[in-house]
Amino acid sequence: MDTAHWDYLLSQTCASRSSRYSHAKVLLQNENLLAFTLACISEKKSENHIKAAWVLEMALREKIQFLIPQLDLFFEVAQNLTNNATKRSFSKIFELLTETHYIKKQELLNSAQKTLLVTLCFDLLIAKEKVAAQVYAMQSLFYLSTDFKWVKNELQLQLELMYPNAKPGVKSRTKKILKALKRS
C-alpha cells in the first residue's frame, strides 16, 4: 500500500475501537507504513496525527515486536509529543514495551532506550498528564525499576506526593504500585 492511500485511511479512522482495530490490521500487514505513521504523528499540523497514534497503539497491542525496526524513530517522535491524546497512546506503548521486556522476558530495549523511557515516563507523571497517561507511565517506571534501583525510590516519593490530590484512577494504581514497591 502506498502512503497516500494510507494517509486517506488514517483520515477515515474514528475513535471507535472497531475503526482503530481495522486500520491497525492494515498497518500490521504493511510494515513499510510504520515510518510514515510515526512521521505523521510527529507532524502536529497534520489532521491525522492523533488518529495515527490511535492506530499505532492498537497495532502494537496486537504485536509490539512490529515496532522494533523503527524503535529509534519511535523514541525520537516520543520526545516531541505535545498533544494529550498522542501522549496517552505513547504512554500505553511505553507500558507495552516495558511489560514485554521485563515480564515476558523478550529483550526489546537497549540501555539507552531504557534510560530515555525513564525520563519520558517521569515527565508524564510529574507534568500532571491525564489519568491514563499517568497510570501507564507509573506502571512502566515500576518495570524499569528492575534495572534502575534509584527509580524505585523516586517513583515511591512521587507517588506518595501525588496520592492525596490524585484522581480516583491514579489513586487506585498508585496504591497497587506502592504495595508492589514495598514488596520488591
Side-chain angles (χ1 to χ4, degrees):
M1 177 180 301
D2 67 9
T3 56
H5 186 64
W6 178 238
D7 197 43
Y8 171 75
L9 284 178
L10 285 175
S11 74
Q12 300 304 302
T13 304
C14 67
S16 76
R17 188 170 181 82
S18 61
S19 174
R20 291 178 291 140
Y21 183 69
S22 68
H23 291 115
K25 288 194 309 189
V26 173
L27 178 59
L28 288 170
Q29 293 167 356
N30 294 275
E31 190 175 319
N32 62 310
L33 298 175
L34 180 56
F36 178 81
T37 304
L38 288 166
C40 186
I41 294 166
S42 71
E43 183 55 51
K44 294 161 187 76
K45 292 179 183 171
S46 166
E47 293 178 14
N48 294 333
H49 81 279
I50 295 169
K51 294 174 180 184
W54 291 344
V55 170
L56 179 64
E57 176 194 343
M58 191 63 72
L60 297 178
R61 283 174 182 252
E62 292 293 313
K63 187 178 178 189
I64 191 67
Q65 294 80 2
F66 182 74
L67 185 59
I68 301 306
Q70 297 293 338
L71 205 50
D72 290 333
L73 178 58
F74 169 80
F75 282 116
E76 188 178 312
V77 171
Q79 292 177 73
N80 298 302
L81 298 175
T82 57
N83 179 281
N84 286 334
T86 55
K87 286 180 182 181
R88 186 227 159 273
S89 290
F90 270 61
S91 66
K92 179 59 182 179
I93 297 167
F94 297 162
E95 183 185 47
L96 294 169
L97 283 167
T98 55
E99 181 181 294
T100 302
H101 186 87
Y102 290 101
I103 304 301
K104 297 178 181 173
K105 306 289 187 207
Q106 297 175 23
E107 297 287 321
L108 301 178
L109 304 165
N110 63 36
S111 179
Q113 291 164 340
K114 288 187 257 186
T115 301
L116 182 55
L117 263 176
V118 168
T119 302
L120 292 168
C121 289
F122 268 121
D123 286 349
L124 289 168
L125 206 55
I126 292 168
K128 308 273 191 280
E129 292 295 335
K130 301 277 185 179
V131 170
Q134 286 188 314
V135 166
Y136 298 143
M138 68 176 75
Q139 187 66 52
S140 296
L141 286 165
F142 175 73
Y143 293 141
L144 288 158
S145 71
T146 303
D147 284 340
F148 300 90
K149 299 305 175 199
W150 67 269
V151 168
K152 178 181 176 182
N153 295 332
E154 290 299 318
L155 179 59
Q156 185 169 353
L157 285 171
Q158 185 60 35
L159 294 180
E160 288 170 350
L161 219 120
M162 291 171 52
Y163 187 80
N165 301 318
K167 293 186 176 169
V170 172
K171 275 188 174 184
S172 175
R173 183 64 65 97
T174 297
K175 275 187 200 176
K176 290 177 185 173
I177 293 190
L178 284 172
K179 194 177 208 179
L181 285 169
K182 287 178 180 150
R183 282 194 313 258
S184 65

